[in-house]
């Protein structure tokens, strides 16, 4: 299979997945209790006004007509209006994207910085205390719920010790960088770092444990191959063999998992954003759920689905470009 055919197949699969998400969300909105017009106007609205809104919004049309109208609007980028704020859904989604991306990228950086060195140490010191410690860390990291870890970090590092703030971030990363460029002041950047540290640690803990285990298993597998024995027999330093050859060969599956997990982090930040009051898509989704604002919920979930599918397609394409043998699998 050529690269072009592989890419077309993956894009078609991605479109089918997104269509499935849109259809499921529309179906859930249809069967959910309550009248959308009443939700938009409030309980004190007159019946005449409710009927007028139902007519304007097309709520009196058959379900299949409403469904195709919604699909048509999505294709041109029209996600409708929020029932609570009467704002465009796409604008409410776009304004929260930077904060979610900041948190996902920060959690990924935390995972890389901690997991890869830990996995290397665990693989090169098998059956030693360092290996047992890394294995225990991985087990705890995968098993610990995000919400519990976040609350414990707040109680210990924020409430008890006062090291990190607990309130919503006052400045975003983009604004902090612009302050550095324009005025040469790093104050806003330091404030941003203080606010993102605990959420990034919380969100990245599971990811860190996963990459640690993956690095260890990959390193152990590579260390047992003949080229490692031959390199050592030639007198090459063990550090050179370990990092230049073994770790480099281990990085291909790790990079693949990093890309795929980045998409997962975009959708999995809901709980972390809620615990830390982080102004991202996850917190806005929880607010929309509480208000039963279906257009906003649909818009956020569809965006997360599109982002996840897009990242998966990009990562799969890069991996198959580097390793053409898996295209026919």
């Amino acid at each position: 299979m050529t690269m072009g055919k592989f890419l077309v197949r993956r894009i078609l699969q991605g479109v089918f997945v997104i269509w499935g998400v849109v259809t499921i969300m529309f179906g859930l909105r249809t069967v959910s209790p309550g009248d959308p017009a009443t939700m938009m106007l409030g309980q004190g609205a007159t019946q005449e006004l409710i009927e007028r809104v139902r007519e304007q919004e097309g709520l009196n049309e058959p379900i299949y007509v409403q469904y195709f109208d919604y699909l048509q609007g999505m294709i041109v980028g029209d996600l409708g209006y929020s029932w609570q704020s009467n704002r465009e859904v796409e604008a409410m989604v776009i304004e929260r994207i930077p904060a979610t991306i900041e948190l996902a990228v920060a959690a990924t950086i935390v995972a890389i910085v901690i997991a890869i060195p830990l996995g290397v140490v665990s693989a090169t010191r098998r059956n030693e205390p360092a290996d047992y410690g890394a294995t225990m860390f991985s087990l705890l990291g995968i098993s610990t719920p995000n919400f519990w870890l976040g609350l414990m970090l707040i109680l210990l590092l924020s409430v008890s010790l006062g090291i990190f703030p607990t309130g919503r971030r006052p400045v975003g990363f983009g604004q902090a960088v612009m302050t550095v460029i324009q005025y040469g002041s790093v104050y806003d950047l330091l404030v941003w770092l203080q606010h993102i540290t605990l959420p990034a640690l919380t969100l990245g803990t599971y990811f860190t444990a996963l990459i640690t285990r993956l690095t260890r298993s990959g390193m152990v597998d590579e260390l047992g191959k003949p080229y490692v024995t031959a390199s050592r027999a030639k007198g090459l330093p063990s550090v050179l063999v370990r990092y230049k050859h073994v770790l480099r060969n281990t990085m291909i599956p790790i990079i693949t998992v990093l890309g795929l997990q980045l998409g997962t982090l975009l959708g999995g930040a809901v709980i972390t954003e809620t615990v830390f009051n982080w102004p991202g898509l996850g917190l806005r989704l929880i607010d929309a759920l509480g208000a039963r604002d279906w257009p906003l919920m649909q818009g956020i979930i569809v965006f997360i689905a599109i982002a996840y599918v897009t990242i998966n397609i990009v990562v799969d394409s890069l991996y198959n470009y580097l390793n053409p043998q898996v295209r026919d699998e």
Side-chain angles (χ1 to χ4, degrees):
M1 183 184 299
T2 63
M3 186 64 187
K5 290 182 178 179
F6 172 81
L7 189 58
V8 170
R9 187 182 70 176
R10 291 293 288 113
I11 291 175
L12 291 177
Q13 291 173 346
V15 171
F16 180 77
V17 170
I18 294 171
W19 171 77
V21 172
V22 172
T23 303
I24 291 173
M25 288 301 300
F26 183 86
L28 290 175
R29 188 186 78 172
T30 302
V31 300
S32 64
D35 180 23
T38 304
M39 294 179 187
M40 285 186 277
L41 297 173
Q43 296 295 332
T46 62
Q47 188 62 35
E48 180 183 357
L49 184 58
I50 291 175
E51 290 298 329
R52 187 186 308 168
V53 170
R54 289 183 60 84
E55 185 68 28
Q56 292 174 350
E57 298 295 327
L59 298 175
N60 292 326
E61 299 289 342
I63 296 299
Y64 69 90
V65 174
Q66 297 182 41
Y67 174 68
F68 285 111
D69 286 344
Y70 183 71
L71 284 181
Q72 183 179 3
M74 278 203 56
I75 293 174
V76 299
D78 182 12
L79 299 177
Y81 288 83
S82 167
W83 289 351
Q84 293 296 315
S85 63
N86 201 32
R87 295 176 57 198
E88 292 184 349
V89 169
E90 53 266 33
M92 298 181 69
V93 171
I94 291 173
E95 69 185 14
R96 292 295 184 96
I97 292 175
T100 297
I101 293 177
E102 289 175 17
L103 183 55
V105 172
T108 304
I109 293 174
V110 168
I112 293 172
V113 171
I114 298 175
I116 293 180
L118 198 60
V120 171
V121 171
S122 179
T124 54
R125 297 184 180 181
R126 281 176 290 174
N127 301 321
E128 295 183 10
D131 184 23
Y132 298 143
T135 303
M136 182 61 66
F137 170 79
S138 299
L139 180 61
L140 290 175
I142 291 177
S143 305
T144 304
N146 277 352
F147 71 91
W148 182 86
L149 178 60
L151 292 174
M152 292 302 103
L153 289 176
I154 290 174
L155 288 174
L156 178 62
L157 299 179
S158 297
V159 177
S160 299
L161 301 179
I163 300 175
F164 295 101
T166 58
R168 177 178 294 195
R169 62 162 197 176
V171 61
F173 178 75
Q175 183 181 347
V177 171
M178 291 303 299
T179 302
V180 174
I181 295 174
Q182 294 179 355
Y183 305 106
S185 172
V186 297
Y187 176 77
D188 284 352
L189 187 60
L190 293 176
V191 170
W192 177 82
L193 285 172
Q194 283 184 318
H195 282 79
I196 202 172
T197 299
L198 294 186
L201 286 174
T202 301
L203 185 60
T205 298
Y206 174 85
F207 197 15
T208 302
L210 178 64
I211 298 300
T212 299
R213 298 182 66 177
L214 184 62
T215 304
R216 183 190 184 280
S217 62
M219 287 282 293
V220 169
D221 184 57
E222 289 292 326
L223 287 170
K225 291 185 177 180
Y227 78 88
V228 176
T229 305
S231 300
R232 289 173 176 171
K234 291 179 180 179
L236 292 178
S238 59
V239 175
L240 180 65
V241 174
R242 187 183 307 160
Y243 290 99
K244 183 177 180 180
H245 301 289
V246 177
L247 182 59
R248 183 175 63 181
N249 293 335
T250 307
M251 287 302 295
I252 293 179
I254 293 176
I255 291 173
T256 303
V257 173
L258 283 172
L260 296 177
Q261 288 296 318
L262 181 59
T264 304
L265 290 178
L266 290 175
V270 175
I271 296 176
T272 304
E273 289 184 3
T274 304
V275 170
F276 290 95
N277 197 26
W278 188 262
L281 286 174
L283 183 60
R284 175 142 288 177
L285 177 61
I286 294 299
D287 293 339
L289 284 169
R292 297 178 65 187
D293 192 341
W294 275 100
L296 183 55
M297 282 189 281
Q298 287 177 295
I300 294 173
I301 293 176
V302 167
F303 169 79
I304 292 174
I306 292 174
Y308 185 82
V309 168
T310 302
I311 292 173
N312 273 264
I313 291 175
V314 171
V315 171
D316 284 351
S317 301
L318 290 175
Y319 183 73
N320 286 282
Y321 176 77
L322 296 174
N323 187 8
Q325 294 179 351
V326 301
R327 290 180 192 168
D328 297 326
E329 295 182 1

